[in-house]
Amino acid sequence: MKIQPLRIGDLVANLPIIQGGMGVGVSLSRLASAVSNEGGIGIISTAQIGYQEKDFENYPVKANIRALTNHIKKAKENVKNGIIGINIMVALTNYEEYVRTAIKAGIDLIISGAGLPTRLPELVKNTKVKIAPIVSSLKAAKTILKVWDRKYNKAADMVVIEGPKAGGHLGFSLDELNNNTVSLEKILKDVLIEVKKYEEKYQKHIPVVVAGGIYSGDDIAHYLSLGASGVQIATRFIATHECDADDRFKQAYLDCEKEDIELVKSPVGMPGRAINNKLVETIKVENIKVRKCFDCLKIDHCDRVTIPYCITDKLIAAVKGDVENGLLFCGDNAYRMKKLVSVKELMNEFIAGILAY
């Protein structure tokens, strides 16, 4: 298959590959700039991005704002002509402040999920920043596209479909996930039809990108052949030298087997996919007392009294290398990774697979 660039308005990535945002601290400026320099789109995760700042414990928002600015500027300085984006959760308490900070720092693209980013067009008004919602169904795609159209006379610059085999929090019920009743191919087909209406109305190309469990160049080519303009891949970039996480974190993924990957209980009320460890086994039988509330999620997404554990605390523990007591989110195919490689090697592997398809 011939490789076509991914075009998002006036942004052009030579390879139709977006590195998915991974928090806390797994995909920061080092990984994002490495992917961008290889022709893909590098994504910085905004989730508690300031966790390494000295004042994070006492002033998390202030630390996050500072770190977000610094990581975006550093990534932009390190790329030649590439694209740098952020992934930001709608459920964040200070969502709008983080979006405005990213715009001011010079971000190219904002990908936003964990809720529908209904106000995002207003926040990027009079800027060149491209915006893309993350959806998990045709219903969600219809809703957000209709809201942006009617309220802001704006079409999405890109749509990301996250399927049931993704890591992290999943927009599906446990029954759907356990019974394997959701088809990413079907969602893609339906969303492409819906997006076409807005392409015609606004006379612009709106790329549709798929994510979740995509492992190889073959997988990428498969979705491209079905009409996707690109793919978003996260977990595979963990097993790279440039990934921003601790080496012990990376090794946990290289060591895991298929049976180690399972659906886990999350404080935010949605199922998640992660590697089994001491933490996962503990929360099956008891809640873990919250040491400190970082007020990271809006109150309707996180009940401080009844949550099984603090997700900020456990994601930070993981990225720092505590792989038994931390939360190790992963995609469905994480067990297939057995070797640490450079981003360049990984991208070349993807290229070879697409070309051979």
Side-chain angles (χ1 to χ4, degrees):
M1 173 184 284
K2 185 178 179 181
I3 299 176
Q4 301 291 341
L6 175 56
R7 300 180 184 276
I8 312 169
D10 58 355
L11 300 178
V12 181
N14 291 331
L15 297 177
I17 299 170
I18 300 173
Q19 160 254 310
M22 295 172 283
V24 170
V26 182
S27 62
L28 300 177
S29 52
R30 182 171 63 168
L31 178 57
S33 56
V35 173
S36 183
N37 281 329
E38 291 302 324
I41 296 179
I43 302 295
I44 295 169
S45 169
T46 61
Q48 302 294 50
I49 191 171
Y51 80 99
Q52 293 174 306
E53 300 290 310
K54 292 181 179 179
D55 56 349
F56 175 75
E57 284 272 336
N58 294 320
Y59 305 102
V61 175
K62 182 179 177 181
N64 286 335
I65 293 295
R66 184 189 316 118
L68 179 58
T69 299
N70 291 340
H71 276 290
I72 291 172
K73 289 184 175 180
K74 185 176 179 180
K76 295 291 286 183
E77 288 170 1
N78 289 338
V79 299
K80 302 177 181 70
N81 297 300
I83 302 167
I84 296 293
I86 62 164
N87 178 292
I88 181 166
M89 299 186 294
V90 179
L92 291 178
T93 304
N94 299 85
Y95 177 80
E96 294 178 11
E97 188 175 1
Y98 293 138
V99 169
R100 291 192 176 97
T101 297
I103 294 168
K104 186 177 179 181
I107 205 67
D108 300 310
L109 168 68
I110 296 174
I111 297 175
S112 192
L116 293 178
T118 53
R119 290 195 59 204
L120 192 52
E122 179 184 342
L123 299 175
V124 301
K125 189 177 181 180
N126 299 322
T127 76
K128 292 184 177 181
V129 177
K130 304 300 185 289
I131 55 175
I134 299 175
V135 299
S136 295
S137 66
L138 173 61
K139 181 181 178 181
K142 281 185 172 182
T143 300
I144 194 63
L145 292 172
K146 185 182 292 185
V147 169
W148 286 6
D149 174 44
R150 291 183 176 178
K151 193 169 183 179
Y152 303 105
N153 194 33
K154 165 79 175 176
D157 296 303
M158 178 174 73
V159 175
V160 178
I161 305 171
E162 190 168 276
K165 294 184 178 181
H169 294 120
L170 306 167
F172 305 94
S173 69
L174 271 175
D175 282 344
E176 288 174 321
L177 295 169
N178 285 324
N179 297 319
N180 198 27
T181 58
V182 179
S183 166
L184 181 54
E185 286 86 351
K186 177 68 166 61
I187 301 172
L188 170 61
K189 180 181 178 181
D190 292 342
V191 170
L192 283 170
I193 294 170
E194 186 67 20
V195 164
K196 189 172 179 60
K197 301 173 186 177
Y198 294 90
E199 287 184 316
E200 292 172 352
K201 177 173 181 177
Y202 287 91
Q203 291 296 292
K204 64 184 274 189
H205 170 58
I206 304 173
V208 177
V209 169
V210 295
I214 297 168
Y215 185 86
S216 65
D218 263 7
D219 295 336
I220 297 170
H222 169 67
Y223 287 105
L224 295 178
S225 73
L226 295 178
S229 294
V231 299
Q232 179 177 281
I233 300 173
T235 301
R236 285 221 67 186
F237 286 101
I238 292 173
T240 62
H241 298 297
E242 295 91 342
C243 173
D244 293 273
D246 186 278
D247 285 345
R248 290 167 293 181
F249 178 88
K250 302 175 189 182
Q251 192 61 45
Y253 290 78
L254 298 178
D255 292 339
C256 86
E257 302 296 338
K258 187 173 185 177
E259 57 270 22
D260 296 325
I261 298 171
E262 58 182 85
L263 298 173
V264 301
K265 180 165 57 175
S266 168
V268 302
M270 300 188 321
R273 179 174 284 110
I275 297 173
N276 184 278
N277 60 3
K278 182 180 176 181
L279 169 68
V280 173
E281 289 300 313
T282 299
I283 60 176
K284 288 177 182 178
V285 295
E286 63 179 315
N287 290 352
I288 297 174
K289 186 176 180 180
V290 176
R291 174 182 63 85
K292 173 184 174 62
C293 179
F294 293 91
D295 196 31
C296 57
L297 299 175
K298 294 171 184 174
I299 190 67
D300 55 335
H301 292 275
C302 182
D303 185 341
R304 278 80 164 161
V305 178
T306 62
I307 56 172
Y309 58 94
C310 171
I311 196 162
T312 283
D313 192 47
K314 298 310 176 186
L315 287 173
I316 290 175
V319 77
K320 287 183 174 181
D322 185 352
V323 298
E324 279 302 319
N325 298 296
L327 182 58
L328 305 167
F329 276 147
C330 69
D332 188 63
N333 284 307
Y335 69 95
R336 295 170 63 183
M337 301 188 302
K338 297 302 175 188
K339 182 183 177 183
L340 199 66
V341 298
S342 68
V343 165
K344 186 179 188 66
E345 288 174 298
L346 181 56
M347 296 294 267
N348 284 339
E349 179 190 322
F350 290 149
I351 293 168
I354 299 170
L355 293 175
Y357 187 80

